[in-house]
Amino acid sequence: MDDLGLTEHLLSAPLDALLAEARARRDGRGGARTTYSRKVFIPLTRLCADVCHYCTFATTPSQLPAPYLTPEEVLAIARDGVASGCKEALFTLGDAPERRYAVARDWLAERGFARTIDYVRHCAERVLGETGLLPHINAGLLDEADYVALRPVAASCGLMLESMSDRLCEKGGAHFGSPDKVPALRMASLDAAGRARVPMTSGVLIGIGESPRERIEALLALRDLHARHGHLQEVIVQNFCPKPGTKMAAADEAIEADYLRTLAAARIVLPDDVSVQAPPNLNAERLVELLDSGIDDWGGISPVTQDHVNPEAPWPEIALMEGVCADYGRPLVERLTVYPRFVADAEGGWIDPALRPRVLQLADSEGLARDSVWSPGVADAAPGTPGLPLGPVIAGRVSHEVHRILDKAAGGNGLTEAEIVALFATRGSAALAVVEAADALRAEVMGDEVTYVVNRNINYTNICTHACAFCAFSKTSSKAGFRDKPYNLDFAEVAEAAREAVARGATEVCLQGGIHPSYTGETYAGIVKAVKAACPDLHVHAFSPLEVWQGAQTLGVSVRDYLSRLKDLGLGSLPGTAAEILDDEVRRQICPDKLTTQIWLDVVRDAHVVGLPTTATIMFGHVERPVHWARHLLALRRLQDETGGFTELVPLPLVHMESPMYRRGQSRKGPTWREAVMMHAVSRIALHGSIRSIQCSWVKLGLDGAAAVLKAGANDVGGVLMNESISRAAGAAHGQDVSVADLEKLAASAGRTLRRRSTLYRLYDAVPALV
């Protein structure tokens, strides 16, 4: 359909049909959610070069104590926002007041600034650096150089197009006397922002004298602008509200049908990667109707400051919005001021390198806002409990599509990549439905016993030739200096550690280490021989696929032949570590010199073929996204369906504190609590009928966190891990070992009983007396 036909359709189609079309477009974009940004509003100056006839924000110098807020006043507002959980600092101000007012020029000059935008940049830099809030700047008409200058201090910017009607700039029009509101100038500024690669907010203002056709023209203009640069993250459709004391105080608002029609038109006209937003404080009585028109975002909502542009319209309570959205089936989810697709596009240059570390600190795996301050390894209690694994959830509708996917998995049918991603994306009641389904499958497959193994970790060296970006355990000249110093145990020391483990009742020793430059395949063979000579009955669970591959390479033999030799020496099984994320897009970023995805799978396949079972792992919460989680789980399922050699999956959330890539500002802060829970739940569902056991890591989640995920699909708590050191080196606060009594309390808190097992899941009735 050409633009003329599209315009006629949008203007003449029955409203109900148009709303249904917009909803279908919205619902086909992805996860069922409605986003908002938790912000603090900073009115840096209320002086303006323009005289829009509907505006009460702009005023004159005589009405203000000072032309601008001082940096101290700005920071005080920002700090109040931080205390209330805000992540965005919205700078709103009049257009270039120095062009109109000498008092503005003088105030700026006294402080060393030539223009308002220079002062804006200074204040944004201080807010970012001193509070961590992400600035979003609405500063009126800017040129490309201005936008480039703002990039290091502002995650996004905004400029309302308002209208494409030049008539409104003529005498009697809403924009008469406002030179900055000329549509061509505003389009030129928005175009400059695209060239500068700044994520932008724009929008249209409805009811200021424009015609219905002109509204569509403005939306089409924004669509075409976005097609050139891809920089529009959202388009606001704002309804004009007459305000006392303005020239348009007696003007009529757009009728509701026209407003809803324009919202629906925006969703139909704009591409799927542009959100459509409606301001909830101007429409508090018709929030459901706005959702019915196809919107997916509410914009910024402040728990601290009023809407200084519309002070007569208070923000709705966030709790109220949560209830409305949950009942509608699109839960309210917090985002950042910069939208997820820009956060995910690390190579696209949308977020300045100076700003990216802070964005990543605040972001989750989808590029939305982190839902709590919790991170893996912290000493704080987990946000969830066995009774409420996800924490409190507001009751709401769950889509038929989510139920369909869950029913498909419960029937033993494998899921597609898109279906797994859809489960990871669920929020609110839909996420709770996923967790409950996972728990039901766990009970069906593994019963109500929580299993564990009595084992000891022996990490025989922390010296490694590889440069994995996430690893704080290995020590090389470039990575030493955190918690531990380089070491390398000899065979006798390894054997003695194994004897100590047996004396304490261990049935397994888990052996792993860095890729030491002097190690060969004979080294790993020697370790197995030393341990089996000292403790013939001890199960040796040893060597990552990377170590096995490296050992075979040094001896010039095939991996399968080398594994057969290790098995003959007494190796019982392999830990499925070094998997990280089984997608080479991610591996190129976090472990470029490590095994490729295919080589890892090939080594594990060879282990299974020669009769060596392995675990499987997934290390998540750094740079990857849910689509990579889905690909990882599918790769594991395909291999398991081929070989049957995996004993369990162990999700390993990144402990970020000492991780080199986090310290360099290149990764997130590990998964959020919701993501940690959902990883266990979705893994249970996606691997149902394939891998039976899902283990949780008490070292990374804490004992209370592990108890919570036992109600989200997990059935095993791993081992007592005497001397666990890898997570501790990364900054985890949960200790090096745990007692059986601790694990019994953990299981009991989830309403389950504890049962000891072997490495290969043989169940025991007695607990070793010395553990």
Side-chain angles (χ1 to χ4, degrees), residues 579 581-585 587 595-602 635:
I581 294 291
L582 293 174
D583 187 287
D584 287 338
E585 177 186 349
R587 299 179 79 82
L595 302 181
T596 65
T597 295
Q598 190 57 57
I599 293 175
W600 189 94
L601 292 168
D602 289 344

Side-chain angles (χ1 to χ4, degrees), residues 167-306:
R167 293 185 304 102
L168 301 182
C169 297
E170 298 171 357
K171 189 172 182 177
H175 292 150
F176 180 67
S178 301
D180 297 293
K181 293 302 175 79
V182 173
L185 295 180
R186 298 184 84 75
M187 286 295 291
S189 183
L190 288 165
D191 193 69
R195 295 194 304 271
R197 300 191 72 73
V198 173
M200 287 293 290
T201 294
S202 191
V204 295
L205 184 56
I206 302 304
I208 58 173
E210 80 292 342
S211 69
R213 189 171 298 274
E214 287 170 333
R215 296 167 188 165
I216 306 303
E217 289 173 357
L219 294 172
L220 291 171
L222 290 172
R223 178 204 65 186
D224 294 344
L225 175 73
H226 180 72
R228 289 196 293 276
H229 303 294
H231 65 313
L232 293 184
Q233 53 182 8
E234 61 190 350
V235 167
I236 306 167
V237 180
Q238 182 170 332
N239 50 311
F240 158 73
C241 298
K243 297 176 175 63
T246 67
K247 292 184 178 181
M248 294 182 67
D252 293 328
E253 299 182 37
I255 63 172
E256 180 172 283
D258 285 351
Y259 183 44
L260 298 181
R261 180 177 291 274
T262 309
L263 283 166
R267 182 63 281 156
I268 294 166
V269 166
L270 295 167
D272 287 347
D273 62 353
V274 178
S275 282
V276 175
Q277 180 189 123
N281 58 319
L282 303 183
N283 299 279
E285 76 287 354
R286 53 185 177 192
L287 298 177
V288 172
E289 288 82 357
L290 299 186
L291 290 167
D292 270 340
S293 68
I295 72 163
D296 61 281
D297 187 81
W298 295 117
I301 301 177
S302 179
V304 180
T305 50
Q306 66 177 348

